[in-house]
Amino acid sequence: MAGAMKEQETELRANELYWSSDRSVNQIAEDLSLSKGVLYGLIRPRPAGLACPACSAELVHTNRTALDRGLVECPTCGWEGAEAEADRYEDDGQRTDGRPGALVTSDATHSGWTSPWTRTAIGGALLGAAAGLALVMWNRQR
């Protein structure tokens, strides 16, 4: 349990340093006694406060270069583009362009039902159930 808490603290500290400081990735990795590869694995996308024009989920900056260049991505549907192409929302979550719909926020580290792994698992389970049902039906006809 203590190991998991330490890992979580390291992840939080890595993200804080990465997104909130001007330190290089090498400096951050050295300060945290991590390799650059491990550090990059700990970094989570930063919410951009903008909505995806395709699905209304919250867009993210995947790294500091994307943040500096104003590039955003949608963790839900995969849309990529410039911040200027994204939809803007008021504080109440309603679109500012007059179109219906509200901002759908998504956790950048786990996007629920839209996660590719979740969709694959559900698809596999449904395919397996269909195959099992087909076998039962075939056996009953014999």
Side-chain angles (χ1 to χ4, degrees):
M1 185 88 163
M5 288 185 71
K6 178 70 173 158
E7 289 175 14
Q8 188 176 17
E9 289 173 11
T10 301
E11 181 178 337
L12 290 172
R13 183 74 178 135
N15 278 279
E16 179 184 333
L17 289 171
Y18 181 80
W19 290 110
S20 302
S21 75
D22 292 332
R23 298 167 118 181
S24 72
V25 171
N26 287 336
Q27 290 171 325
I28 296 169
E30 187 177 317
D31 288 350
L32 297 175
S33 301
L34 302 170
S35 69
K36 279 176 47 175
V38 170
L39 175 63
Y40 278 122
L42 294 175
I43 301 303
R44 299 293 168 242
R46 181 179 179 173
L50 299 169
C52 176
C55 73
S56 296
E58 185 169 15
L59 297 171
V60 297
H61 296 285
T62 55
N63 54 49
R64 293 191 294 195
T65 302
L67 177 64
D68 292 342
R69 294 181 180 168
L71 301 174
V72 289
E73 291 184 21
C74 179
T76 302
C77 74
W79 180 90
E80 297 177 6
E83 290 176 347
E85 299 173 53
D87 290 337
R88 305 261 178 219
Y89 284 84
E90 296 288 343
D91 288 338
D92 64 359
Q94 297 301 310
R95 291 180 186 267
T96 59
D97 61 4
R99 293 188 293 163
L103 176 64
V104 178
T105 58
S106 64
D107 182 348
T109 61
H110 176 73
S111 55
W113 292 101
T114 60
S115 163
W117 290 107
T118 303
R119 289 192 308 255
T120 302
I122 291 171
L126 291 173
L127 186 60
L133 183 60
L135 278 172
V136 168
M137 301 278 288
W138 178 74
N139 261 342
R140 284 188 178 175
Q141 290 178 359
R142 289 183 48 178

Coordinates of all heavy atoms in Angstrom, one line a residue, residues 6-84:
K6 N 3.4 6.0 -2.8 CA 4.7 6.6 -3.2 C 4.7 6.9 -4.7 O 5.1 7.9 -5.2 CB 5.9 5.8 -2.8 CG 7.2 6.3 -3.2 CD 7.6 7.6 -2.5 CE 9.0 8.0 -2.8 NZ 9.3 9.3 -2.6
E7 N 4.2 5.8 -5.5 CA 4.1 6.0 -6.9 C 3.1 7.1 -7.3 O 3.4 7.8 -8.2 CB 3.6 4.6 -7.5 CG 4.7 3.6 -7.5 CD 4.2 2.2 -8.0 OE1 3.1 2.2 -8.6 OE2 4.9 1.2 -7.7
Q8 N 2.0 7.2 -6.6 CA 1.0 8.2 -6.9 C 1.6 9.6 -6.6 O 1.4 10.5 -7.4 CB -0.2 8.0 -6.1 CG -1.4 8.9 -6.5 CD -2.6 8.6 -5.7 OE1 -2.6 7.9 -4.7 NE2 -3.8 9.1 -6.2
E9 N 2.3 9.7 -5.5 CA 3.0 11.0 -5.2 C 4.0 11.4 -6.2 O 4.1 12.5 -6.6 CB 3.6 10.9 -3.8 CG 2.7 10.9 -2.6 CD 3.4 10.6 -1.3 OE1 4.6 10.7 -1.2 OE2 2.7 10.3 -0.3
T10 N 4.8 10.4 -6.7 CA 5.8 10.6 -7.7 C 5.1 11.1 -9.0 O 5.5 12.0 -9.7 CB 6.6 9.4 -8.0 OG1 7.3 9.0 -6.8 CG2 7.7 9.6 -9.1
E11 N 4.0 10.5 -9.4 CA 3.2 10.9 -10.6 C 2.7 12.3 -10.4 O 2.8 13.1 -11.4 CB 2.1 9.9 -10.8 CG 1.3 10.2 -12.1 CD 0.2 9.2 -12.4 OE1 0.3 8.1 -11.9 OE2 -0.7 9.6 -13.1
L12 N 2.1 12.6 -9.3 CA 1.6 14.0 -9.1 C 2.7 15.0 -9.2 O 2.6 16.0 -9.8 CB 0.9 14.0 -7.8 CG -0.4 13.3 -7.7 CD1 -1.0 13.3 -6.2 CD2 -1.5 13.9 -8.6
R13 N 3.9 14.7 -8.5 CA 5.0 15.6 -8.5 C 5.6 15.8 -9.9 O 5.9 16.9 -10.3 CB 6.1 15.1 -7.5 CG 7.2 16.0 -7.4 CD 6.9 17.2 -6.6 NE 8.1 18.1 -6.5 CZ 8.1 19.4 -6.6 NH1 7.0 20.0 -6.9 NH2 9.2 20.0 -6.5
A14 N 5.7 14.7 -10.7 CA 6.2 14.7 -12.0 C 5.3 15.6 -12.9 O 5.8 16.5 -13.7 CB 6.3 13.3 -12.6
N15 N 4.0 15.5 -12.8 CA 3.1 16.3 -13.6 C 3.1 17.7 -13.2 O 3.1 18.6 -14.0 CB 1.6 15.7 -13.5 CG 1.4 14.6 -14.5 OD1 1.2 14.8 -15.6 ND2 1.6 13.4 -14.0
E16 N 3.2 18.0 -11.9 CA 3.3 19.4 -11.4 C 4.6 20.0 -12.0 O 4.5 21.2 -12.5 CB 3.3 19.4 -9.9 CG 3.5 20.7 -9.3 CD 3.6 20.7 -7.7 OE1 3.1 19.7 -7.1 OE2 4.2 21.6 -7.2
L17 N 5.7 19.4 -11.9 CA 6.9 19.9 -12.4 C 6.9 20.1 -13.9 O 7.4 21.1 -14.4 CB 8.1 19.1 -12.0 CG 8.5 19.1 -10.5 CD1 9.6 18.1 -10.2 CD2 9.0 20.5 -10.1
Y18 N 6.4 19.1 -14.6 CA 6.4 19.1 -16.0 C 5.5 20.3 -16.6 O 5.9 21.0 -17.4 CB 5.8 17.8 -16.6 CG 5.8 17.8 -18.1 CD1 7.0 17.5 -18.8 CD2 4.6 18.0 -18.8 CE1 7.0 17.5 -20.2 CE2 4.6 17.9 -20.2 CZ 5.8 17.7 -20.9 OH 5.8 17.6 -22.3
W19 N 4.3 20.4 -16.0 CA 3.4 21.4 -16.5 C 3.5 22.8 -15.9 O 3.1 23.8 -16.5 CB 1.9 21.0 -16.3 CG 1.6 19.8 -17.2 CD1 1.4 18.5 -16.8 CD2 1.4 19.8 -18.6 NE1 1.1 17.7 -17.9 CE2 1.1 18.5 -19.0 CE3 1.5 20.8 -19.6 CZ2 0.9 18.2 -20.4 CZ3 1.3 20.5 -20.9 CH2 1.0 19.2 -21.3
S20 N 4.1 22.9 -14.7 CA 4.1 24.2 -14.0 C 5.5 24.8 -13.9 O 5.7 25.8 -13.2 CB 3.5 24.1 -12.6 OG 2.2 23.6 -12.7
S21 N 6.5 24.2 -14.5 CA 7.9 24.8 -14.3 C 8.5 24.9 -15.7 O 8.0 24.4 -16.7 CB 8.8 23.9 -13.4 OG 9.2 22.7 -14.1
D22 N 9.6 25.6 -15.8 CA 10.4 25.8 -17.0 C 11.5 24.8 -17.0 O 12.4 24.9 -17.9 CB 10.9 27.2 -17.1 CG 9.8 28.2 -17.3 OD1 8.8 27.9 -17.9 OD2 10.0 29.4 -16.9
R23 N 11.6 23.9 -16.1 CA 12.7 22.9 -16.1 C 12.6 22.0 -17.2 O 11.5 21.6 -17.7 CB 12.6 22.1 -14.8 CG 12.7 23.0 -13.5 CD 12.3 22.2 -12.3 NE 13.5 22.1 -11.5 CZ 13.5 21.5 -10.3 NH1 12.4 20.9 -9.9 NH2 14.5 21.5 -9.6
S24 N 13.8 21.5 -17.7 CA 13.8 20.6 -18.8 C 13.4 19.2 -18.3 O 13.4 18.9 -17.1 CB 15.2 20.5 -19.4 OG 16.1 19.8 -18.5
V25 N 13.0 18.4 -19.3 CA 12.6 17.0 -18.9 C 13.8 16.3 -18.2 O 13.6 15.5 -17.3 CB 12.1 16.3 -20.2 CG1 12.0 14.8 -19.9 CG2 10.9 16.9 -20.7
N26 N 15.0 16.5 -18.7 CA 16.2 15.9 -18.1 C 16.3 16.3 -16.6 O 16.6 15.5 -15.8 CB 17.5 16.3 -18.9 CG 17.6 15.6 -20.2 OD1 17.0 14.5 -20.4 ND2 18.3 16.2 -21.1
Q27 N 16.1 17.6 -16.4 CA 16.2 18.1 -15.0 C 15.1 17.5 -14.1 O 15.4 17.1 -13.0 CB 16.1 19.6 -14.9 CG 17.3 20.4 -15.5 CD 17.0 21.9 -15.6 OE1 15.9 22.3 -15.9 NE2 18.1 22.6 -15.5
I28 N 13.9 17.4 -14.6 CA 12.8 16.8 -13.8 C 13.1 15.4 -13.5 O 13.0 14.9 -12.4 CB 11.5 17.0 -14.5 CG1 11.1 18.5 -14.7 CG2 10.4 16.3 -13.8 CD1 10.0 18.8 -15.6
A29 N 13.5 14.6 -14.6 CA 13.8 13.2 -14.4 C 14.9 13.0 -13.4 O 14.8 12.1 -12.5 CB 14.2 12.6 -15.7
E30 N 16.0 13.8 -13.4 CA 17.1 13.7 -12.5 C 16.6 14.0 -11.1 O 16.9 13.3 -10.1 CB 18.2 14.7 -12.9 CG 19.4 14.5 -12.1 CD 20.6 15.4 -12.5 OE1 20.8 15.5 -13.8 OE2 21.2 16.0 -11.7
D31 N 15.8 15.1 -10.9 CA 15.3 15.5 -9.6 C 14.5 14.4 -9.0 O 14.5 14.2 -7.7 CB 14.5 16.8 -9.6 CG 15.3 18.0 -9.9 OD1 16.6 17.9 -9.8 OD2 14.7 19.1 -10.2
L32 N 13.7 13.6 -9.8 CA 12.8 12.6 -9.3 C 13.5 11.2 -9.3 O 12.8 10.2 -9.0 CB 11.5 12.6 -10.1 CG 10.7 13.8 -10.0 CD1 9.5 13.8 -10.9 CD2 10.2 14.1 -8.5
S33 N 14.8 11.2 -9.7 CA 15.5 9.9 -9.9 C 14.8 8.9 -10.8 O 14.6 7.7 -10.5 CB 15.7 9.3 -8.5 OG 16.5 10.1 -7.7
L34 N 14.3 9.4 -11.9 CA 13.6 8.6 -12.9 C 14.4 8.7 -14.2 O 15.1 9.7 -14.5 CB 12.2 9.1 -13.1 CG 11.3 9.2 -11.9 CD1 10.0 9.9 -12.3 CD2 11.0 7.8 -11.4
S35 N 14.2 7.7 -15.1 CA 14.7 7.8 -16.5 C 13.7 8.7 -17.2 O 12.5 8.9 -16.8 CB 14.7 6.4 -17.1 OG 13.4 5.9 -17.4
K36 N 14.1 9.3 -18.4 CA 13.2 10.1 -19.2 C 12.0 9.3 -19.6 O 10.9 9.8 -19.7 CB 14.0 10.7 -20.4 CG 14.8 11.9 -20.0 CD 15.6 12.5 -21.2 CE 14.9 12.6 -22.4 NZ 15.7 13.3 -23.5
G37 N 12.2 8.0 -20.0 CA 11.2 7.2 -20.5 C 10.1 7.0 -19.4 O 8.9 7.0 -19.7
V38 N 10.5 6.7 -18.2 CA 9.6 6.5 -17.1 C 8.8 7.9 -16.8 O 7.6 7.9 -16.6 CB 10.3 6.0 -15.8 CG1 9.4 6.1 -14.6 CG2 10.8 4.6 -16.0
L39 N 9.6 9.0 -16.8 CA 9.0 10.3 -16.6 C 7.9 10.5 -17.7 O 6.8 10.9 -17.3 CB 10.0 11.4 -16.6 CG 9.4 12.8 -16.6 CD1 8.7 13.0 -15.2 CD2 10.5 13.8 -16.8
Y40 N 8.2 10.3 -18.9 CA 7.2 10.5 -20.0 C 6.0 9.6 -19.8 O 4.8 10.0 -20.1 CB 7.8 10.3 -21.4 CG 8.5 11.5 -21.9 CD1 9.9 11.4 -22.2 CD2 7.9 12.7 -22.0 CE1 10.6 12.5 -22.7 CE2 8.6 13.8 -22.5 CZ 9.9 13.7 -22.9 OH 10.6 14.8 -23.4
G41 N 6.2 8.4 -19.2 CA 5.1 7.5 -18.9 C 4.2 8.0 -17.8 O 3.0 7.6 -17.7
L42 N 4.7 8.9 -17.0 CA 3.9 9.4 -15.8 C 3.1 10.7 -16.2 O 2.2 11.0 -15.5 CB 4.8 9.7 -14.7 CG 5.5 8.6 -14.0 CD1 6.5 9.1 -12.9 CD2 4.5 7.6 -13.4
I43 N 3.6 11.4 -17.3 CA 2.9 12.6 -17.6 C 1.5 12.4 -18.2 O 1.3 11.6 -19.1 CB 3.8 13.4 -18.7 CG1 5.2 13.7 -18.1 CG2 3.1 14.7 -19.1 CD1 5.2 14.4 -16.8
R44 N 0.6 13.1 -17.7 CA -0.8 13.0 -18.1 C -1.2 14.3 -18.9 O -0.7 15.4 -18.6 CB -1.8 12.9 -16.9 CG -1.5 11.7 -16.1 CD -1.9 10.4 -16.9 NE -1.4 9.2 -16.2 CZ -0.5 8.4 -16.7 NH1 0.0 8.6 -17.9 NH2 -0.1 7.3 -16.1
P45 N -2.0 14.1 -19.9 CA -2.4 15.3 -20.7 C -3.0 16.4 -19.8 O -3.7 16.1 -18.8 CB -3.4 14.8 -21.7 CG -3.1 13.3 -21.8 CD -2.6 12.9 -20.4
R46 N -2.9 17.6 -20.2 CA -3.4 18.8 -19.5 C -4.7 19.3 -20.1 O -4.8 19.6 -21.3 CB -2.4 19.9 -19.5 CG -2.8 21.1 -18.7 CD -1.7 22.1 -18.7 NE -2.1 23.3 -18.0 CZ -1.3 24.3 -17.8 NH1 0.0 24.3 -18.2 NH2 -1.7 25.3 -17.1
P47 N -5.8 19.3 -19.3 CA -7.1 19.8 -19.9 C -6.9 21.2 -20.5 O -6.2 22.1 -19.9 CB -8.0 19.8 -18.7 CG -7.4 18.8 -17.7 CD -6.0 18.9 -17.9
A48 N -7.5 21.5 -21.6 CA -7.3 22.8 -22.3 C -8.5 23.7 -22.0 O -8.4 24.9 -22.3 CB -7.2 22.5 -23.8
G49 N -9.5 23.3 -21.4 CA -10.7 24.1 -21.1 C -11.5 24.5 -22.4 O -12.2 25.4 -22.4
L50 N -11.3 23.6 -23.4 CA -12.0 23.8 -24.7 C -12.8 22.5 -25.0 O -12.4 21.4 -24.6 CB -11.1 24.1 -25.8 CG -10.2 25.4 -25.6 CD1 -9.1 25.4 -26.7 CD2 -11.1 26.6 -25.7
A51 N -13.8 22.6 -25.8 CA -14.6 21.5 -26.1 C -14.3 21.0 -27.6 O -14.1 21.8 -28.4 CB -16.1 21.8 -26.0
C52 N -14.3 19.7 -27.8 CA -14.1 19.2 -29.1 C -15.2 19.5 -30.0 O -16.4 19.4 -29.7 CB -14.0 17.6 -28.9 SG -13.8 16.8 -30.5
P53 N -14.9 20.0 -31.2 CA -16.0 20.4 -32.2 C -16.7 19.2 -32.7 O -17.8 19.3 -33.2 CB -15.2 21.1 -33.3 CG -13.8 20.7 -33.2 CD -13.6 20.4 -31.7
A54 N -16.1 18.0 -32.6 CA -16.7 16.8 -33.1 C -17.6 16.1 -32.1 O -18.7 15.6 -32.5 CB -15.6 15.8 -33.5
C55 N -17.2 16.1 -30.8 CA -18.0 15.3 -29.8 C -18.3 16.0 -28.5 O -19.0 15.5 -27.7 CB -17.3 14.0 -29.5 SG -15.8 14.1 -28.5
S56 N -17.8 17.2 -28.4 CA -18.0 18.1 -27.2 C -17.3 17.7 -26.0 O -17.4 18.3 -24.9 CB -19.5 18.2 -26.9 OG -20.2 18.9 -27.9
A57 N -16.4 16.6 -26.0 CA -15.6 16.3 -24.9 C -14.5 17.3 -24.6 O -14.2 18.1 -25.6 CB -15.0 14.9 -25.1
E58 N -14.0 17.4 -23.5 CA -12.9 18.4 -23.2 C -11.6 18.0 -23.9 O -11.2 16.9 -23.8 CB -12.7 18.5 -21.7 CG -11.7 19.6 -21.3 CD -11.7 20.0 -19.9 OE1 -12.2 19.2 -19.1 OE2 -11.2 21.0 -19.6
L59 N -11.0 19.0 -24.5 CA -9.8 18.8 -25.2 C -8.6 18.9 -24.3 O -8.7 19.5 -23.2 CB -9.6 19.8 -26.3 CG -10.7 19.7 -27.4 CD1 -10.6 21.0 -28.4 CD2 -10.5 18.5 -28.2
V60 N -7.5 18.3 -24.7 CA -6.3 18.3 -23.8 C -5.1 18.7 -24.6 O -5.0 18.6 -25.9 CB -6.0 16.9 -23.2 CG1 -7.1 16.5 -22.3 CG2 -5.8 15.9 -24.2
H61 N -4.0 19.2 -23.9 CA -2.7 19.4 -24.5 C -1.9 18.2 -24.1 O -1.9 17.8 -22.9 CB -2.0 20.6 -23.9 CG -2.7 21.9 -24.2 ND1 -2.7 22.5 -25.5 CD2 -3.5 22.7 -23.5 CE1 -3.4 23.6 -25.5 NE2 -3.9 23.8 -24.3
T62 N -1.3 17.5 -25.0 CA -0.7 16.2 -24.7 C 0.7 16.4 -24.2 O 1.3 15.5 -23.5 CB -0.6 15.3 -26.0 OG1 0.0 16.0 -27.0 CG2 -2.0 14.8 -26.4
N63 N 1.3 17.5 -24.5 CA 2.7 17.8 -24.0 C 2.9 19.3 -24.0 O 2.1 20.1 -24.5 CB 3.8 17.1 -24.8 CG 3.7 17.3 -26.2 OD1 3.6 18.5 -26.7 ND2 3.7 16.3 -27.0
R64 N 4.1 19.8 -23.5 CA 4.4 21.2 -23.4 C 4.5 21.8 -24.8 O 4.2 23.0 -25.0 CB 5.6 21.5 -22.5 CG 5.3 21.1 -21.1 CD 6.4 21.6 -20.2 NE 7.7 21.0 -20.4 CZ 8.7 21.0 -19.5 NH1 8.6 21.7 -18.4 NH2 9.9 20.4 -19.8
T65 N 5.1 21.1 -25.7 CA 5.2 21.6 -27.1 C 3.8 21.9 -27.7 O 3.6 22.9 -28.3 CB 6.0 20.6 -28.0 OG1 7.3 20.4 -27.4 CG2 6.1 21.1 -29.4
A66 N 2.9 21.0 -27.5 CA 1.5 21.2 -28.0 C 0.9 22.4 -27.3 O 0.2 23.2 -27.9 CB 0.7 20.0 -27.8
L67 N 1.1 22.6 -26.0 CA 0.6 23.7 -25.3 C 1.2 25.0 -25.8 O 0.5 26.0 -26.1 CB 1.0 23.6 -23.8 CG 0.6 24.8 -22.9 CD1 -0.9 24.9 -22.8 CD2 1.2 24.5 -21.5
D68 N 2.5 25.0 -26.1 CA 3.2 26.2 -26.6 C 2.7 26.6 -28.0 O 2.5 27.8 -28.4 CB 4.7 26.1 -26.6 CG 5.3 26.0 -25.3 OD1 4.7 26.4 -24.3 OD2 6.5 25.5 -25.2
R69 N 2.4 25.6 -28.8 CA 1.9 25.8 -30.2 C 0.4 25.9 -30.3 O -0.1 26.1 -31.4 CB 2.4 24.6 -31.1 CG 3.9 24.6 -31.2 CD 4.3 23.5 -32.1 NE 5.8 23.5 -32.2 CZ 6.5 22.5 -32.7 NH1 5.9 21.5 -33.2 NH2 7.8 22.6 -32.8
G70 N -0.3 25.8 -29.2 CA -1.8 25.9 -29.2 C -2.5 24.7 -29.9 O -3.5 24.9 -30.5
L71 N -1.9 23.5 -29.8 CA -2.5 22.3 -30.4 C -3.2 21.5 -29.4 O -2.7 21.3 -28.3 CB -1.4 21.5 -31.1 CG -0.6 22.2 -32.2 CD1 0.6 21.3 -32.6 CD2 -1.5 22.6 -33.3
V72 N -4.3 21.0 -29.7 CA -5.2 20.2 -28.8 C -5.6 18.9 -29.4 O -5.6 18.8 -30.6 CB -6.4 21.0 -28.3 CG1 -6.0 22.2 -27.4 CG2 -7.2 21.6 -29.4
E73 N -6.0 18.0 -28.5 CA -6.5 16.7 -29.0 C -7.7 16.3 -28.1 O -7.8 16.7 -27.0 CB -5.4 15.6 -28.8 CG -4.3 15.7 -29.8 CD -3.3 14.5 -29.7 OE1 -3.7 13.5 -29.2 OE2 -2.1 14.7 -30.1
C74 N -8.5 15.5 -28.7 CA -9.7 14.9 -28.0 C -9.4 13.5 -27.5 O -9.2 12.6 -28.4 CB -10.9 15.0 -28.8 SG -12.4 14.3 -28.0
P75 N -9.3 13.2 -26.2 CA -9.0 11.9 -25.8 C -10.2 10.9 -26.0 O -10.1 9.7 -26.0 CB -8.8 12.0 -24.3 CG -9.5 13.3 -23.9 CD -9.4 14.2 -25.1
T76 N -11.4 11.5 -26.4 CA -12.6 10.7 -26.6 C -12.7 10.2 -28.0 O -12.8 9.0 -28.3 CB -13.8 11.4 -26.1 OG1 -13.7 11.8 -24.8 CG2 -15.1 10.6 -26.3
C77 N -12.6 11.1 -29.0 CA -12.8 10.7 -30.4 C -11.6 10.8 -31.2 O -11.6 10.4 -32.4 CB -13.9 11.6 -31.0 SG -13.5 13.3 -31.3
G78 N -10.5 11.4 -30.7 CA -9.3 11.5 -31.4 C -9.1 12.7 -32.3 O -8.1 12.8 -33.0
W79 N -10.0 13.6 -32.3 CA -9.9 14.9 -33.1 C -8.7 15.6 -32.7 O -8.3 15.6 -31.5 CB -11.2 15.7 -32.9 CG -11.1 17.0 -33.7 CD1 -11.6 17.2 -34.9 CD2 -10.6 18.3 -33.2 NE1 -11.4 18.5 -35.3 CE2 -10.8 19.2 -34.3 CE3 -10.0 18.7 -32.1 CZ2 -10.4 20.5 -34.2 CZ3 -9.6 20.0 -32.0 CH2 -9.8 20.9 -33.1
E80 N -7.9 16.2 -33.6 CA -6.8 17.0 -33.3 C -6.9 18.3 -34.1 O -7.4 18.3 -35.2 CB -5.5 16.3 -33.8 CG -5.2 15.0 -33.1 CD -4.0 14.3 -33.6 OE1 -3.3 14.9 -34.5 OE2 -3.7 13.1 -33.2
G81 N -6.4 19.4 -33.5 CA -6.4 20.6 -34.2 C -5.8 21.8 -33.4 O -5.3 21.5 -32.3
A82 N -6.0 23.0 -33.9 CA -5.6 24.2 -33.2 C -6.7 24.6 -32.2 O -7.8 24.4 -32.4 CB -5.3 25.3 -34.2
E83 N -6.2 25.3 -31.1 CA -7.2 25.8 -30.2 C -8.2 26.7 -30.8 O -9.4 26.6 -30.4 CB -6.5 26.6 -29.1 CG -5.6 25.8 -28.2 CD -4.9 26.6 -27.2 OE1 -4.8 27.9 -27.3 OE2 -4.3 26.0 -26.2
A84 N -7.9 27.4 -31.9 CA -8.8 28.3 -32.5 C -9.9 27.6 -33.2 O -11.0 28.1 -33.4 CB -8.0 29.2 -33.6

